[in-house]
Amino acid sequence: MARSGEAPATWRDMAPAMILLLAGVAALAAATLTASPVQGQYLVLAPGAGGGRLTDLVYRAGGGVVGLGGMRGIAIAASEDPGFRQAMLAQGAWAVLPSSRMLGCFTDKTEARP
């Protein structure tokens, strides 16, 4: 709310903050995607699939769920099947990416990086 005599704020006033926000999100995404992946572990994105349905999709594709994400439709899955990624995409997953960490930000102490 503008004080008496002050011009109201516009989107142009928010531009520096928005640029910094987008740069931060892009840097986090780049750091996550360029980290060394764990062999046979995947980040599965299947929006709309709840925990039970997502677990079933992963099982039918030849894998197992290591953990479910904080949001619906996200899981960390493990599979030694070389066709797992393609099988998940065929079942409706939007993306199946190599996972660089066990359960997101938390890692096993033997997997911890300095």
Side-chain angles (χ1 to χ4, degrees):
M1 183 173 201
R3 293 184 194 160
S4 176
E6 290 182 10
T10 65
W11 285 106
R12 177 179 243 156
D13 298 324
M14 294 294 295
M18 296 303 281
I19 290 169
L20 287 173
L21 174 68
L22 292 174
V25 169
L28 284 173
T32 299
L33 293 174
T34 58
S36 300
V38 175
Q39 186 65 29
Q41 187 171 295
Y42 302 91
L43 171 65
V44 176
L45 303 174
R53 183 167 175 340
L54 186 53
T55 300
D56 184 52
L57 290 174
V58 170
Y59 177 75
R60 284 191 279 140
V65 172
V66 175
L68 295 172
M71 295 172 45
R72 182 180 174 100
I74 300 174
I76 301 293
S79 177
E80 296 298 322
D81 183 356
F84 176 75
R85 183 178 182 280
Q86 291 76 20
M88 283 301 304
L89 293 172
Q91 291 188 59
W94 286 13
V96 181
L97 306 170
S99 177
S100 60
R101 298 179 187 261
M102 183 71 82
L103 296 176
C105 296
F106 303 104
T107 60
D108 183 308
K109 289 183 182 181
T110 60
E111 297 277 330
R113 294 183 174 93

